[in-house]
Amino acid sequence: MKHALILVEHDGVNPHSALRRIVSAARLLADRLTLLVAGSQAQAVAEQAACIAGVSEVWLFDAPHLSQPLAEDLSPLLAHAVRERQASALLAAASPFGKATLPRAAALLDCAMLSDVVEIQAPDVFVRPVHAGAALATLRNPEPVKILSARAAAFPPAADQPAAPINIQPAPPAANRSAWVSTTHPDSARPALAEAKVVVAGGQGLGSAEQFHALLDPLADRLNAAIGATRAAVDAGFIGNDHQIGQTGAIVAPEFYFAIGLSGAAQHLAGMRDARVVVTINKDAEAPICRQADYVLEGDLFEIVPALLRALE
Amino acid sequence: MKALVAVKRVPDGNAPLRLKMDCSGVDLAGMPMRINPFDEAALEWAVQRKEAGTISEIVAVSIGGNACQETLRHALAMGADRAFLIAAEHAPEPLAVAKLLRALAEREQPDLIVLGKQASDDDNAQTAPMLAALLGWPQGVFASNVALENNTLQVTREIEGGQEVLALPLPAVISADLRLANPRYLKLPQLLQAKKKTIETLNPSELGVAPAPRLELLGVAPPPARKPAVKVADARELVALLRQEGLP
Ligand SMILES: Cc1cc2nc3c(=O)[nH]c(=O)nc-3n(C[C@H](O)[C@H](O)[C@H](O)COP(=O)(O)OP(=O)(O)OC[C@H]3O[C@@H](n4cnc5c(N)ncnc54)[C@H](O)[C@@H]3O)c2cc1C
């Protein structure tokens, strides 16, 4: 019987919405599944996690020093859980949190790992994008413990089940290597990029921060969309970096992606290639984004975006 | 304060990628190569701290074939003081890279190791946290801003939907987001001067590390292609089409 562990990402109250999808990925590797929740007073997280179909048990590590879980504290905890459960797989979402933590645990276990897995072909064969998504690599991982960060959007969400048992685990003492100072999450009024069904993304073509917001905010409001941006748009100060999409920003796979006044550089495509329907508005029909789009509206975005908004009313 | 910066030689991400005919890997023949942009940002940050007087020495290291000399010359021209080339036939996997860097760190005793957050070819983003684990040092990964005060680093990290600030005592490992620093353009005198600096070659065996791969690449494929795009005449037609696709 194979046993997989998942590091649960959460905000202290709710597990991250990606968790259900990571559970589906883990179920391809093991028949028993333990979710690891580390936090301070995180009982509510554990309770919700226990009700995801396929979960065998939840281990809850609850201690004040885990209120802002740091990689230095989580990695020995993960390595301990792998040994204790004789786990053959350890997973987390391929989010900044998962990607900062899993490799640290992998090194403690002296285990090679795979990042950004988008497909599990066999219990030891995995597919992941390389070169900013310009190619998909298939790799065999013969390590005794398969450690992987998985792209949530590539796996279906698991359903509900009656609650699995929650086991309280003794939290290891604080590593005291680094200290959390602060966290900022600007504009949380709109849907989060990672979760939005529709993303409206703007590039350098918007020209200025004022025009970016004057044009894209009403469209995003109308479509209940998250707002994304290219690196060029962020660097020009149109919007904060937490909106950047691409190799160095968020990786999204919404139902609809509106690419407005952006050219579709390889590094941008890396973040939106898996969107279901891509619409682009660009005055240049030769821009690379037009080859990655399903619908192309060629022309001046300053005329087309207001017209689009009217057509949506 | 002494900083160790690792630089990887990678294909230029703006050049079109070609796959080998038999799909066994990426075809690097004739690809323009450059310093990994994330490592370049890491190094630029260190050079700026050296110019400001907080870092006294920068040691650059690259792991790979002889061609990495070129990457190291670039690093020396940017402002690294000396450089190591750790000879390896292929670029080793992140865990092996972390072990090689740990061994070098034990010899060189840096106060700070600065890496790129990922290499733009393999996109693994593993080496920095792995190295920090092996050394038992604190980590500040995906850093977009780092301030240095009284032997403590204030690291601003890019996280999902925002930023996080951590305080790290030295010695520490940090990994650079592109925003950490904007790399300088190199001028001829800097490039010429870099030729006078030394590059020392080390073998993995001298560092007590066997960088054999653990993973096996079975093949590469292009990403699934989209159907050719539909050209739409105006916003009204677009909305009609999107409604058929289920747009709310
Ligand atoms: C290592 C590395 C990592 C990177 N990571 C990222 C990343 O994560 N995300 C990212 O986005 N970029 C990233 N980049 C940058 C990327 O290479 C491009 O520079 C950037 O995506 C370009 O942004 P853009 O499309 O907004 O600008 P441009 O390329 O300048 O495109 C602007 C587009 O707007 C169109 N346009 C202009 N005016 C109008 C108008 N009035 N009406 C209609 N269309 C108009 C133009 O035709 C053009 O196609 C990275 C680069 C490197 C080197």
Side-chain angles (χ1 to χ4, degrees):
Chain A
M1 187 132 76
K2 295 214 165 183
H3 203 131
L5 308 177
I6 297 177
L7 170 64
V8 175
E9 183 169 358
H10 63 87
D11 59 5
V13 185
N14 299 304
H16 193 290
S17 63
L19 179 61
R20 286 179 182 274
R21 296 172 182 270
I22 307 304
V23 165
S24 298
R27 294 283 290 160
L28 299 172
L29 296 171
D31 25 37
R32 277 191 67 78
L33 180 55
T34 301
L35 300 192
L36 308 173
V37 175
S40 174
Q41 305 189 321
Q43 182 74 26
V45 177
E47 281 165 11
Q48 293 181 65
C51 295
I52 300 176
V55 173
S56 318
E57 59 174 348
V58 177
W59 278 14
L60 175 59
F61 300 83
D62 212 303
H65 71 268
L66 294 173
S67 68
Q68 297 292 335
L70 297 167
E72 291 85 338
D73 287 311
L74 293 173
S75 49
L77 185 155
L78 294 176
H80 162 80
V82 165
R83 292 194 189 104
E84 193 71 13
R85 273 276 164 257
Q86 297 182 314
S88 59
L90 170 64
L91 296 88
S95 62
F97 171 76
K99 290 171 112 178
T101 310
L102 272 192
R104 193 167 174 121
L108 295 181
L109 291 161
D110 192 27
C111 226
M113 66 164 286
L114 292 170
S115 305
D116 291 291
V117 168
V118 293
E119 190 187 340
I120 298 173
Q121 288 187 345
D124 61 346
V125 180
F126 302 88
V127 180
R128 60 178 301 267
V130 291
H131 293 270
L136 290 168
T138 305
L139 296 118
R140 184 190 311 283
N141 179 358
E143 295 282 53
V145 187
K146 317 298 181 211
I147 305 181
L148 51 133
S149 65
R151 290 245 178 116
F155 300 92
D160 294 326
Q161 69 174 16
I166 298 172
N167 299 314
I168 310 286
Q169 297 290 316
N176 287 326
R177 304 303 294 154
S178 57
W180 173 82
V181 177
S182 63
T183 303
T184 43
H185 286 290
D187 70 59
S188 39
R190 271 184 228 286
L193 263 183
E195 286 157 32
K197 296 244 180 309
V198 182
V199 172
V200 170
Q204 192 134 262
L206 271 302
S208 69
E210 293 71 38
Q211 289 169 354
F212 186 99
H213 290 287
L215 285 162
L216 300 192
D217 287 4
L219 187 59
D221 288 343
R222 175 65 189 77
L223 295 167
N224 190 26
I227 293 192
T230 64
R231 177 167 177 235
V234 171
D235 285 353
F238 298 177
I239 194 163
N241 348 351
D242 45 305
H243 293 270
Q244 183 171 315
I245 288 174
Q247 188 182 22
T248 27
I251 290 164
V252 299
E255 287 290 301
F256 293 90
Y257 191 87
F258 289 80
I260 301 176
L262 64 85
S263 63
Q267 299 90 349
H268 184 78
L269 300 180
M272 47 68 69
R273 208 182 279 274
D274 295 326
R276 185 171 69 85
V277 178
V278 176
V279 178
T280 186
I281 299 173
N282 199 304
K283 64 181 182 191
D284 174 12
E286 298 298 311
I289 189 68
C290 299
R291 271 174 271 131
Q292 278 299 321
D294 301 291
Y295 300 102
V296 175
L297 226 175
E298 186 186 342
D300 183 3
L301 68 90
F302 293 100
E303 288 163 18
I304 294 172
V305 175
L308 179 58
L309 204 55
R310 284 194 299 275
L312 282 165
E313 290 314 327
Chain B
M1 176 184 317
K2 182 166 162 181
L4 179 66
V5 181
V7 293
K8 185 179 184 184
R9 180 178 149 89
V10 297
D12 187 333
N14 291 321
L17 192 74
R18 272 177 291 113
L19 306 184
K20 287 182 186 158
M21 292 289 264
D22 62 0
C23 283
S24 63
V26 168
D27 185 1
L28 289 181
M31 269 300 264
M33 303 295 281
R34 70 185 314 284
I35 179 174
N36 172 31
F38 300 92
D39 299 343
E40 196 182 17
L43 179 58
E44 176 63 36
W45 176 84
V47 172
Q48 288 177 11
R49 290 305 160 292
K50 200 180 113 184
E51 287 165 350
T54 39
I55 287 178
S56 49
E57 188 186 20
I58 300 173
V59 179
V61 53
S62 191
I63 303 171
N66 240 332
C68 296
Q69 298 256 2
E70 194 190 332
T71 317
L72 288 169
R73 290 286 166 215
H74 186 100
L76 291 166
M78 281 180 71
D81 296 289
R82 51 200 178 86
F84 287 97
L85 172 61
I86 302 178
E89 235 174 274
H90 303 286
E93 290 168 5
L95 185 58
V97 171
K99 289 179 181 181
L100 291 164
L101 294 179
R102 170 181 57 178
L104 187 63
E106 281 164 359
R107 281 170 59 138
E108 286 291 320
Q109 300 284 321
D111 303 286
L112 181 61
I113 304 179
V114 199
L115 309 179
K117 73 165 185 166
Q118 69 195 71
S120 61
D121 51 358
D122 290 332
D123 288 330
N124 281 313
Q126 296 172 11
T127 304
M130 284 181 162
L131 176 59
L134 296 178
L135 289 165
W137 290 6
Q139 69 180 53
V141 297
F142 318 150
S144 57
N145 189 52
V146 178
L148 232 160
E149 277 162 36
N150 312 323
N151 273 358
T152 301
L153 300 172
Q154 287 268 346
V155 178
T156 305
R157 306 181 50 229
E158 299 294 309
I159 59 169
E160 189 171 293
Q163 295 178 329
E164 176 183 78
V165 180
L166 301 179
L168 272 54
L170 292 173
V173 176
I174 60 176
S175 82
D177 185 87
L178 288 181
R179 289 205 168 78
L180 185 59
N182 227 338
R184 63 197 60 200
Y185 287 104
L186 294 178
K187 300 197 187 83
L188 192 60
Q190 295 161 319
L191 289 163
L192 291 175
Q193 229 183 347
K195 293 215 165 122
K196 294 191 209 126
K197 298 185 185 173
T198 55
I199 298 179
E200 190 181 328
T201 303
L202 292 171
N203 281 312
S205 58
E206 288 173 77
L207 294 168
V209 178
R214 306 252 190 113
L215 306 168
E216 184 191 351
L217 180 64
L218 300 178
V220 291
R226 254 173 219 280
K227 282 182 282 156
V230 174
K231 291 213 168 205
V232 180
D234 59 24
R236 204 165 280 281
E237 186 190 347
L238 178 64
V239 170
L241 287 164
L242 293 180
R243 288 261 148 79
Q244 284 171 18
E245 294 270 13
L247 185 76

